[in-house]
Amino acid sequence: MISLLHTADWQIGRVFSQFEPDDAAALFEARFKAVERLAAIAAERKVDAVLVAGDVFDLQTVSDKTIRRMFNAMQGFAGPWLLIPGNHDSALSESVWSRAQRLGAVAPNIVCCLEPRPHTVAGKFTLLPAPLTQRHTYGDLTDWFAAEPDEEGLPRIGLAHGCVQGILSEDIDSANPIAAGRAAQARLDYLALGDWHGTRQIDDRTWYAGTPETDRFRANDSGQALLVAIDGAGAVPAVEPVRVGQFDWQQWEPRLAVPSDIDELVRKLEQIGSGDVLQLRAQGTCDLAGHNRLGAALDAARARARALVWEGEALRLEPTEEDIQALHADGFVGEALQALREQQGDTDAELARDALLTLARILGAQQGSSHAGAGA
């Protein structure tokens, strides 16, 4: 029996420019922590090897420090690590892999499979890797698997990075194709794939592990690795997803219409914690009082969350008569407020909403000042 830990798409060095600098730095750091957790899982479960199915690095130009840190993060597991390049870190003549070798960063137990040739691993299985040597190919780099003769009695494991044909929509011509049914056609006991960032089963012997640390707002079952147990050559593998990721990325798109919708959204925001990365896209309408409540809830949630991205361009502000009366806006100011309410239906809706909020804040602040002066 052999046991493997299958992972992929570490994207080490990824820059999260859509977030505030402190949040981006934490998400950058989390990818190294994920590798450390993978090493700990591999050691705890006593696997025979860790398979890393490409896109180990996010780009070729990561710093030397990042390269060293990544390989240092793997030190918690002393067994074999078997890595292939993907489309982000393809094995060009001069690449992040050649730099890693020159830096002396690659430990003896780490095998960077930069050529399509078989490896016998610890006398327990045969690895057939299909490394990408350029970013995009339009031929199937796993073709050679079928012609490779069996090593008697050893399970055959494929390792590749690309798109199994037939997964994407028919009108999408994806680069780096992998034939559907490759595992059966090439007599593989298991085909470990990378490129798809979520965990996904293709058939009994073919799986995408997904990225071990979620990196996008998409419900694709990411943040995991796969523990694979194979009783022997020809046996169907037993595959167990294991949680690795630190952060939970969520995308909310609430439609607001009545005050109770604001109540519900505020309640949900109160549950946000330090492990959450949230993108909130609100649409619909709310009154000024509701908008103020939502703003306060967002400010509180930002302080608790790892990262929170608010997109309120599609939320129309509809102050009620009570809102306007509470601001004591009459005469010219009242007319301006009414005009801004009406302009939210025009092409400059976002500008009108922002002006309306600004004017409301000014009036509210003046009101607060006058009350304070009266109390003095």
Side-chain angles (χ1 to χ4, degrees), residues 67-188:
I67 293 173
R68 292 182 188 276
R69 288 192 64 198
M70 194 279 291
F71 284 104
N72 287 344
M74 300 164 69
Q75 291 178 354
F77 176 63
W81 294 80
L82 306 163
L83 295 71
I84 60 168
N87 56 300
H88 280 253
D89 55 4
S90 52
L92 308 173
S93 56
E94 175 60 28
S95 70
V96 65
W97 301 99
S98 55
R99 287 169 56 209
Q101 296 287 354
R102 285 199 302 272
L103 290 169
V106 185
N109 64 313
I110 300 172
V111 180
C112 302
C113 304
L114 307 184
E115 298 176 356
R117 60 181 181 83
H119 297 261
T120 300
V121 182
K124 294 187 175 183
F125 65 92
T126 300
L127 181 77
L128 306 177
L132 283 170
T133 55
Q134 59 191 61
R135 186 174 179 87
H136 293 140
T137 64
Y138 293 93
D140 187 342
L141 298 181
T142 66
D143 274 343
W144 70 277
F145 291 179
E148 186 62 30
D150 295 347
E151 191 164 348
E152 189 171 351
L154 294 184
R156 291 163 59 90
I157 309 297
L159 186 60
H161 188 92
C163 179
V164 175
Q165 298 303 281
I167 288 182
L168 299 179
S169 302
E170 292 182 2
D171 59 341
I172 297 178
D173 181 18
S174 176
N176 311 318
I178 298 170
R182 174 63 72 202
Q185 186 263 346
R187 308 177 310 287
L188 300 177

Side-chain angles (χ1 to χ4, degrees), residues 326-327 357-373:
L327 292 171
L357 285 170
T358 300
L359 183 54
R361 278 195 294 267
I362 292 170
L363 290 171
Q366 287 178 343
Q367 238 182 291
S369 298
S370 64
H371 288 164

Side-chain angles (χ1 to χ4, degrees), residues 9-69:
D9 299 285
W10 293 357
Q11 313 292 148
I12 296 294
R14 181 166 183 176
V15 177
F16 295 89
S17 56
Q18 72 269 42
F19 297 104
E20 296 178 4
D22 60 329
D23 295 329
L27 296 174
F28 176 91
E29 189 70 20
R31 311 204 75 74
F32 295 101
K33 298 296 184 184
V35 178
E36 292 176 357
R37 283 193 292 278
L38 288 166
I41 291 167
E44 179 186 350
R45 297 296 189 101
K46 297 181 171 59
V47 301
D48 293 304
V50 180
L51 310 179
V52 190
D55 280 0
V56 177
F57 297 95
D58 190 54
L59 65 169
Q60 301 281 8
T61 55
V62 297
S63 69
D64 288 356
K65 178 182 177 181
T66 293
I67 293 173
R68 292 182 188 276
R69 288 192 64 198

